[in-house]
Amino acid sequence: MKKRNDLMNKIKELSDENFGVFVRKLSIKNTEVFILYIPELTDRGLLSDHIIKPILQYGKEQTLTIDKILDSVIYVDDISSDDDENKMIDYLLEGKSIVILSKENKYIVANTTKVEQRKVQSPEVETTLRGPKDAFTENLDTNLSLIRYRIKDPSLRIDKIVVGKRTKTNTAVVYIKDIANPKYVEEVKKRIQNISVDGILESGYIQKFILNNSFDFFPQTGIIERSDTACANLLEGKICIVVEGSNLGLVVPKTFIEFLDVAENHYDNLYLSMFAKILTVLALSISLVVSSLYIAVVGFHTDILPPQYILSLAIARRTVPFNAIIEALVMEFISEILREASIRLPKQVGPAIGIVGAIVIGQAAVAAGLVSPLLVIIVSLSMMCSFIAADYTIISPIRILKFLLIFITGIFGLFGFVMGITVIVINLCAQTSFGIPYFAPVAPFHLKDIINYILSDITLEKMRPKFLHTKDKTRQ
């Protein structure tokens, strides 16, 4: 009797308070039926046709009960019962509908959630020439269905964790049970469960919370937008984290060289894949060091150049009022401003503004004698090379390190340049990603994994990467 009164009081409380809860009252054979829902989160058609209509059409002589409704009246597939009145508001905020009978001590929870969502579209971050074009959306169920569509394995596991005291965001940890190392799986789940924050709005929040250290310079989790990329990582023994409300998933653990991997390298010709991998590594290196090398040569070690080129370089810089470090810093800052502006402008005008801006500013700077033509070429090359990585998160630290390297090279010359590169490599070797050496398979050295990475040919990859310590080590 007390429980029944509690439910009635809860109905009154929810209808009186400004929760946005709508209460629909029905009378069936001397039994009052209360249906509670939030209109903005509920599929009204599903509620009317599969819950309200069957209850109103109930014509049997037996008294209508909660168990009878569950077993043989309403048509909703995802349905359960509960007797805790304190959980009612949580169910309603999830978009579910609640059915309460005036003479019962428990209530029915029916999944009638309706969430506005966009359709599956082509990827915008992981764009490739070859490969599937279906990308993740902001709907968690849609993203998980894309993964299940490709991996029809009973060992595929999806563990859901609710994160955020107020947003109560569903987060799915996806892995293949008989491949992934259980130690890494438990570590990922533990870090997510330990998150204590009021809200999670995007996967980037999760990415920050599960870092080894908030001040780590390089990313330890990769981002995934394409479902085929997610499935490829799962088959290698990695763990995917898919967050409700985000179109970008996360993959862990992730090593440095894997950030340079592109999905289409695994689909293309062997030799083309090798060429693309080598080109990517060289381009990333050029993006980091080319401006610093310019400063080291022009400002400190011009004697390493051929005599005729020293003269040409001096003539080109004769009107430049700045030393090499100021000249390089100004041009690099301008290039970064153009990059940020082109990203945030509308798609129709962004690329045009970026290209035109670079040409106009570069040409004007050379004509005014503020910078040398060689530096304009170097900065342009550095910017182009920075776009080659498929995962843009690895480029962000490279962009910052480039400026630090320019500073230290401008002060100490080639010695400072070498010391800067040494510190960066030491930092890469010292980091870990969920217990895995960040610079693997280079350090610690695994020749077979390096060969498999460069070749990117499924017919030659007999074993999974050794550094992942997977349960099932063979692929073929």
Side-chain angles (χ1 to χ4, degrees), residues 161-456:
I161 304 170
V162 178
V163 187
K165 298 173 184 176
R166 296 187 183 276
T167 59
K168 295 180 174 60
T169 305
N170 284 314
T171 303
V173 179
V174 188
Y175 59 96
I176 300 178
K177 186 178 180 180
D178 54 2
I179 297 179
N181 189 316
K183 183 176 72 173
Y184 302 145
V185 174
E186 290 304 316
E187 179 64 22
V188 170
K189 291 163 65 175
K190 178 183 175 182
R191 293 191 188 187
I192 296 175
Q193 289 167 348
N194 288 340
I195 295 175
S196 178
V197 69
D198 57 351
I200 297 292
L201 303 178
E202 215 274 337
S203 60
Y205 285 17
I206 300 289
Q207 187 176 14
K208 290 183 178 182
F209 274 110
I210 63 177
L211 286 174
N212 291 339
N213 188 326
S214 298
F215 298 100
D216 283 338
F217 211 68
F218 290 93
Q220 297 162 11
T221 60
I223 60 169
I224 43 175
E225 184 186 26
R226 295 168 45 153
S227 59
D228 63 317
T229 305
C231 293
N233 282 282
L234 290 171
L235 291 171
E236 277 193 349
K238 295 182 182 177
I239 304 152
C240 290
I241 303 170
V242 188
V243 182
E244 184 180 36
S246 175
N247 68 317
L248 294 176
L250 306 175
V251 57
V252 293
K254 189 88 168 179
T255 62
F256 178 77
I257 67 169
E258 289 177 327
F259 282 96
L260 310 181
D261 194 22
V262 184
E264 62 186 331
N265 289 344
H266 298 268
Y267 306 142
D268 282 331
N269 177 273
L270 169 67
Y271 302 103
L272 181 60
S273 298
M274 290 174 57
F275 176 74
K277 284 285 177 67
I278 295 170
L279 195 65
T280 302
V281 173
L282 288 175
L284 196 70
S285 303
I286 290 171
S287 176
L288 175 64
V289 307
V290 66
S291 296
S292 302
L293 283 175
Y294 170 82
I295 294 172
V297 172
V298 171
F300 294 88
H301 308 284
T302 52
D303 53 308
I304 67 174
L305 296 173
Q308 63 272 22
Y309 192 75
I310 295 175
L311 183 60
S312 300
L313 187 62
I315 294 172
R317 298 193 75 251
R318 70 185 184 277
T319 60
V320 177
F322 312 113
N323 58 26
I325 182 172
I326 300 298
E327 182 188 13
L329 282 174
V330 169
M331 287 304 296
E332 287 289 358
F333 270 118
I334 291 173
S335 69
E336 292 297 330
I337 290 171
L338 286 172
R339 182 207 297 264
E340 292 297 319
S342 63
I343 290 173
R344 280 151 184 78
L345 284 169
K347 287 183 179 180
Q348 293 79 1
V349 297
I353 293 295
I355 295 171
V356 172
I359 294 173
V360 171
I361 292 175
Q363 185 65 35
V366 172
L370 297 178
V371 296
S372 66
L374 177 60
L375 182 62
V376 174
I377 296 172
I378 287 174
V379 171
S380 302
L381 177 63
S382 175
M383 176 178 274
M384 285 190 294
C385 289
S386 69
F387 291 114
I388 199 166
D391 192 331
Y392 73 89
T393 57
I394 196 62
I395 293 299
S396 300
I398 297 296
R399 292 166 61 188
I400 299 171
L401 287 172
K402 175 172 61 177
F403 285 98
L404 296 178
L405 208 55
I406 288 173
F407 272 114
I408 194 171
T409 305
I411 297 171
F412 298 105
L414 194 57
F415 171 76
F417 173 80
V418 173
M419 290 304 298
I421 294 296
T422 304
V423 170
I424 292 171
V425 173
I426 290 174
N427 180 263
L428 288 172
C429 294
Q431 273 192 219
T432 61
S433 175
F434 291 84
I436 291 178
Y438 193 62
F439 217 38
V442 178
F445 185 76
H446 296 299
L447 179 60
K448 188 174 290 186
D449 288 344
I450 293 175
I451 293 173
N452 287 337
Y453 171 79
I454 294 174
L455 298 181
S456 298

Side-chain angles (χ1 to χ4, degrees), residues 79-99:
I79 193 170
S80 61
S81 64
D82 202 338
D83 61 357
D84 187 351
E85 69 275 3
N86 295 321
K87 292 183 179 178
M88 289 172 59
I89 186 61
D90 292 331
Y91 288 132
L92 291 169
L93 290 172
E94 290 175 5
K96 296 177 180 178
S97 299
I98 292 176
V99 180

